[in-house]
Amino acid sequence: MSSHIDVPSGEVSHNGGTRSGDAPARTSDRGAATRGALLAAARDVFCESGFAQAAVTDIVAKAGASVGSLYHHFNGKADLYLTLFEEFQAGQQERTREAISAVREAGETDPMRLFIAGAGAYLNGCLEERDVARLFISGDGPPGFDRVMRQRLNKWARRNAALFHTADGGVDEALVVVLTGAMAGAVSEISLLDDEDAARRLAEEIMGIVGTIRNPRTEQR
């Protein structure tokens, strides 16, 4: 398994350099459009057929592109999948950041309330993009993707759990483990539910229960 599985090679770098003439700009625009069409097509094909059954020929046909153009922008099918995952996670991170910032600006300081705001936003993102959330949680991905998924979810949960500080300025590891496990299970269950209304009710109920979690060893009452 490649150690670079979580680094999409098809990522476009925007360095703000000056373009010389219109032709390079048009070429760049066409390349970006092709790349976007390939990602959109890959998302549809993966969600319809799963990663294992998806064919590169189906993706390029749906995108109106060529196999050569796909390999110009991406290393292959796995690279497309991982790039979609990175984009989904970037959106989830932004949802979480905005939700926590909003409640902070409203005057909230309680760590659990801040955590719930961020975690709720993450779950809501899974509901709003249920097709890709289900794709990534289903286990049908490139070899080694399950490790990438666990690492990313743990990183997200730990970053939010870092809201909970101990008296010496550290982070309460026991609470981090509890919250990380709870959110991993919540994401999985909510993403895989067929009934969207039931998934939303479950998300609300889970966050309600998470909100009751307390650590008597570190919490000052």
Side-chain angles (χ1 to χ4, degrees):
M1 179 180 67
S2 169
S3 62
H4 299 293
I5 187 170
D6 56 340
V7 182
S9 65
E11 195 166 340
V12 176
S13 174
H14 301 281
N15 58 17
T18 302
R19 292 189 179 113
S20 57
D22 292 334
R26 288 197 297 270
T27 300
S28 177
D29 290 344
R30 284 198 300 271
T34 299
R35 182 178 183 276
L38 286 165
L39 282 172
R43 171 175 174 152
D44 290 344
V45 173
F46 289 149
C47 290
E48 291 168 4
S49 306
F51 174 80
Q53 296 300 317
V56 166
T57 51
D58 293 334
I59 294 171
V60 295
K62 194 174 188 68
S66 66
V67 172
S69 65
L70 186 150
Y71 285 101
H72 174 74
H73 292 283
F74 303 96
N75 286 337
K77 189 170 74 167
D79 198 8
L80 280 163
Y81 186 98
L82 294 168
T83 301
L84 287 169
F85 177 69
E86 291 296 325
E87 290 190 351
F88 174 71
Q89 288 299 327
Q92 290 289 74
Q93 182 174 335
E94 183 61 16
R95 286 185 178 100
T96 301
R97 186 195 66 78
E98 289 179 353
I100 293 176
S101 294
V103 293
R104 272 184 170 148
E105 289 174 3
E108 184 60 74
T109 59
D110 179 65
M112 184 57 75
R113 300 264 71 83
L114 295 173
F115 178 83
I116 288 174
Y122 191 101
L123 293 182
N124 192 55
C126 291
L127 290 165
E128 290 181 1
E129 298 189 59
R130 297 179 74 234
D131 52 351
V132 289
R134 178 175 296 191
L135 172 68
F136 298 136
I137 207 72
S138 68
D140 181 12
F145 179 72
D146 56 341
R147 178 184 62 84
V148 174
M149 184 68 178
R150 286 196 305 273
Q151 288 177 342
R152 183 55 64 89
L153 184 57
N154 286 345
K155 180 180 179 181
W156 171 83
R158 290 181 69 84
R159 183 170 57 245
N160 286 283
L163 294 164
F164 303 91
H165 296 288
T166 56
D168 60 3
V171 175
D172 188 338
E173 289 295 330
L175 187 57
V176 168
V177 170
V178 170
L179 293 175
T180 298
M183 292 313 303
V187 168
S188 179
E189 293 299 323
I190 288 165
S191 298
L192 295 176
L193 272 177
D194 290 325
D195 188 323
E196 183 175 351
D197 290 336
R200 290 190 179 278
R201 287 195 298 272
L202 180 60
E204 292 175 1
E205 291 169 2
I206 288 172
M207 294 317 303
I209 293 172
V210 169
T212 68
I213 295 174
R214 296 291 183 270
N215 189 334
R217 184 172 61 84
T218 57
E219 185 177 66
Q220 295 182 352
R221 295 184 179 277

